[in-house]
């Protein structure tokens, strides 16, 4: 299945190190933008990903 990948708005325009997530999926696929074409994809459940984002926001 082809995913529609979205890069973090914090990544900047210089193509730096960042992750991408695929939106509109039942799970949350995550990949390294530097290895986008052939690198691994990790999939998180939506609830687990939401907890991760909440923890990251809290620091």
């Amino acid at each position: 299945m082809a995913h529609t990948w979205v890069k973090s708005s914090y990544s900047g325009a210089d193509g730096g190190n960042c992750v991408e997530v695929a939106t509109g999926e039942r799970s949350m696929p995550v990949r390294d933008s530097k290895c986008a074409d052939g690198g691994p994809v990790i999939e998180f459940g939506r609830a687990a990903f939401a907890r991760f984002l909440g923890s990251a926001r809290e620091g």
Side-chain angles (χ1 to χ4, degrees):
M1 168 191 279
H3 297 297
T4 301
W5 293 98
V6 178
K7 190 180 294 189
S8 168
S9 61
Y10 291 98
S11 65
D14 63 353
N17 301 333
C18 61
V19 297
E20 298 174 314
V21 297
T23 59
E25 306 291 332
R26 297 189 86 194
S27 63
M28 293 300 297
V30 179
R31 70 181 183 184
D32 183 338
S33 64
K34 294 184 309 298
C35 307
D37 293 331
V41 174
I42 301 170
E43 295 199 27
F44 295 91
R46 293 181 82 69
F49 194 73
R51 284 192 303 273
F52 165 75
L53 289 179
S55 294
R57 284 185 193 111
E58 292 173 7

